[in-house]
Amino acid sequence: MKHILEFDSQALSDFVASHDEKSFRVGQVRKWLFADRAQSFGEMSNLPKSLRGHLTESFQIWTSKVVNHSKSEDGTEKLLLQWPDGGQVECVLLRDGDRRSICVSSQVGCAMGCVFCASGLDGVDRNLTSGEILEQMLRLQHLLPSDERLSHIVMMGMGEPLANLNNVLATLQQASAADGLGISSRRITISTVGIPEAIDKLTELNSRYNLAVSLHAPNDQLRSQLVPVNKKIGIAKILAAADSYFESCGRRLTFEYVLLAGVNDTQEQARELASLLRKRSVLLNVIPYNPVEGLPYRTPSAKSISKFRKILTDAGITIQFRQRKGDQINAACGQLRRNFRPGNEPVQISAS
Ligand code: SAH
C-alpha cells in the first residue's frame, strides 16, 4: 500500500490515467482529501465506484496511529503520532483569536542538540517523509469544526526542517497549493537552527516562506555552547545566508532568541545582540524559556525580561515576545518530544 499523501497532483494524474479514468477526477480526489476532510476513499461519493475501489486497494490515507491527544485550557491541542516503525512525533494546533495555527514536526527526534530543548534529548532517528509531515497537518485540521480552516503553519515541531529540506519543501508545496490546503506561503514559517547551505538553496529556489532563524546568543562563544552545531557554522555565515534570502524574496526575517535566566539574558548580552541586528530589517522573537523536565535552565524573572526588552527596543529593534501557549500540556516551543510518558500529560481526552 502506498501513502496517498506522498502523491502530488502529477503523480495522482498518472495513477488516474493508468486506470483509464478522466483527469478531472484528480481534482475531485484532492478536494475530498484537503477541503472536505474525507477519512476514507469510500466517502468520496462523486467518484465512480471502480475508482474508489482502485484507490482503496492501492492507497492508505492514514499511516500513523494517534497514541495520545491532549487539550489545554487555552485551546491548544497536541497529538502524539506513531508510525509503523515505532517512530513517534508530536504536533500541535494553536488557537489565537481567528488564527488556527499548526506546528508540525519534520524528523523523529533531532540531531542539533540544542541544550535547552526536549526534542533532541535522544538524538535523531530519521527524517519524516513528505506524506508523514502532510498527515500531521491533516490530522490537526480534522480537530477543527467544519466551518473553521487552518490559517498558519509553522515548521517548529520536532526536528530541524532544513536537515530534511526536500521532504519539507514537497509538503509545503502541497500545503500552499490552491488544490491542496490552500495556505498562502506568507502564512507559512520555516524555523531553522541556521544551516547556511540549505538557506542558500531556499534562496536559489526562489522560495517564498517566512524564515525564522534560531539565534539564541549574540556571539559564537555562547552560541556554540547552547547550539552545539554552531561550532561548525558560526553566526556570520548564518547571517549572510539569511540576508541573501531576505534580499531575494523580501519575506520578513525573524530571529528567535530563547531567554535563559543567567545564561543569555544579561543587559550586556542585550546590547551585543542589538548591535548584531541593528542594521537589519528583522523581527526579534524572544521566547522566555519553557521548562523541560530534567534540564537545569530557568525562565528569567519579569523584571529581567523587561530590562532585556528595553535595551533592544531603545536600539530600534522590532521585538516581539512569543506568547506561551500549550505549556499546560507540554506543547509549547521546545517541549515536544517523541516519548509519551504517562503523567506527563495533564489532560488526556482520547487515545486510540
Ligand atoms: N529546529 C528548529 C525548530 C525548533 S522549535 C529550530 O532550531 O529553529 C522552535 C523554537 O523553539 C526554536 O527557536 C527553538 O530553539 C526554541 N526552543 C527550543 N527549546 C525551547 C524551550 N525549552 N523553551 C523555549 N524555546 C525553545
Side-chain angles (χ1 to χ4, degrees):
M1 289 278 244
K2 299 207 166 83
H3 191 189
I4 189 127
L5 301 180
E6 301 287 345
F7 276 55
D8 61 11
S9 298
Q10 185 54 52
L12 205 52
S13 297
D14 295 344
F15 176 86
V16 163
S18 74
H19 289 284
D20 296 326
E21 298 283 358
K22 299 255 169 35
S23 59
F24 73 91
R25 299 294 181 196
V26 174
Q28 290 180 317
V29 173
R30 287 178 66 83
K31 182 166 181 297
W32 277 110
L33 287 173
F34 295 110
D36 302 333
R37 306 180 194 179
Q39 296 274 6
S40 70
F41 298 110
E43 284 168 52
M44 302 184 176
S45 52
N46 56 357
L47 301 184
K49 217 169 162 198
S50 58
L51 180 56
R52 271 181 271 163
H54 292 311
L55 288 165
T56 308
E57 280 160 25
S58 308
F59 292 115
Q60 291 173 280
I61 302 178
W62 309 108
T63 57
S64 67
K65 206 171 85 173
V66 181
V67 179
N68 195 54
H69 175 184
S70 34
K71 194 168 181 170
S72 164
E73 276 161 18
D74 66 14
T76 304
E77 294 184 57
K78 180 171 80 166
L79 298 176
L80 173 65
L81 304 181
Q82 179 170 322
W83 274 279
D85 69 352
Q88 295 187 337
V89 299
E90 294 189 311
C91 55
V92 182
L93 167 69
L94 298 125
R95 295 178 160 90
D96 186 11
D98 289 344
R99 282 189 178 213
R100 297 292 176 267
S101 307
I102 54 173
C103 173
V104 300
S105 295
S106 54
Q107 297 181 307
V108 178
C110 183
M112 301 299 122
C114 302
V115 297
F116 43 80
C117 180
S119 299
L121 289 178
D122 302 314
V124 69
D125 270 359
R126 67 174 177 90
N127 284 340
L128 293 175
T129 65
S130 63
E132 288 168 337
I133 304 172
L134 198 54
E135 182 167 332
Q136 295 172 62
M137 297 177 182
L138 294 193
R139 288 239 183 245
L140 293 165
Q141 180 198 39
H142 283 240
L143 301 178
L144 293 176
S146 55
D147 60 343
E148 289 184 13
R149 286 171 45 91
L150 296 179
S151 62
H152 293 75
I153 299 175
V154 294
M155 294 300 311
M156 291 190 190
M158 291 175 69
E160 167 48 46
L162 296 193
N164 185 14
L165 184 63
N166 290 344
N167 292 347
V168 166
L169 290 179
T171 310
L172 295 182
Q173 171 68 37
Q174 301 254 43
S176 55
D179 69 341
L181 286 172
I183 299 175
S184 151
S185 58
R186 290 174 182 281
R187 293 172 168 216
I188 297 179
T189 301
I190 302 178
S191 177
T192 176
V193 75
I195 301 177
E197 305 77 48
I199 296 174
D200 290 344
K201 182 90 199 207
L202 290 176
T203 308
E204 250 170 62
L205 291 172
N206 212 8
S207 153
R208 287 285 185 266
Y209 306 112
N210 299 311
L211 193 65
V213 177
S214 295
L215 194 57
H216 305 324
N219 59 61
D220 278 323
Q221 200 208 353
L222 181 61
R223 190 168 195 268
S224 296
Q225 286 171 25
L226 300 178
V227 181
V229 288
N230 189 63
K231 287 181 208 136
K232 292 184 279 177
I233 304 173
I235 293 175
K237 275 196 199 155
I238 298 173
L239 292 182
D243 287 345
S244 312
Y245 185 73
F246 174 73
E247 275 158 30
S248 95
C249 75
R251 280 284 185 269
R252 185 194 69 199
L253 260 191
T254 300
F255 287 95
E256 292 161 289
Y257 196 99
V258 58
L259 215 49
L260 308 165
V263 176
N264 66 355
D265 68 335
T266 66
Q267 299 183 41
E268 179 52 35
Q269 285 158 332
R271 281 189 282 274
E272 205 181 341
L273 183 60
S275 67
L276 191 67
L277 300 180
R278 189 170 285 135
K279 295 200 189 70
R280 299 182 156 84
S281 151
V282 299
L283 172 70
L284 180 67
N285 204 325
V286 176
I287 322 169
Y289 173 63
N290 295 311
V292 174
E293 197 191 309
L295 295 185
Y297 303 99
R298 284 176 302 113
T299 314
S301 66
K303 198 169 152 206
S304 101
I305 293 178
S306 91
K307 280 188 188 153
F308 191 88
R309 172 182 217 148
K310 184 166 185 324
I311 292 170
L312 284 142
T313 313
D314 288 351
I317 309 286
T318 311
I319 179 168
Q320 203 175 61
F321 275 68
R322 187 167 297 166
Q323 237 185 318
R324 187 179 280 181
K325 286 236 167 217
D327 55 329
Q328 188 195 20
I329 53 168
N330 281 332
C333 288
Q335 294 184 319
L336 302 188
R337 59 207 306 162
R338 61 175 110 164
N339 299 318
F340 165 58
R341 292 167 308 153
N344 212 13
E345 310 293 318
V347 193
Q348 199 174 325
I349 58 172
S350 76
S352 58

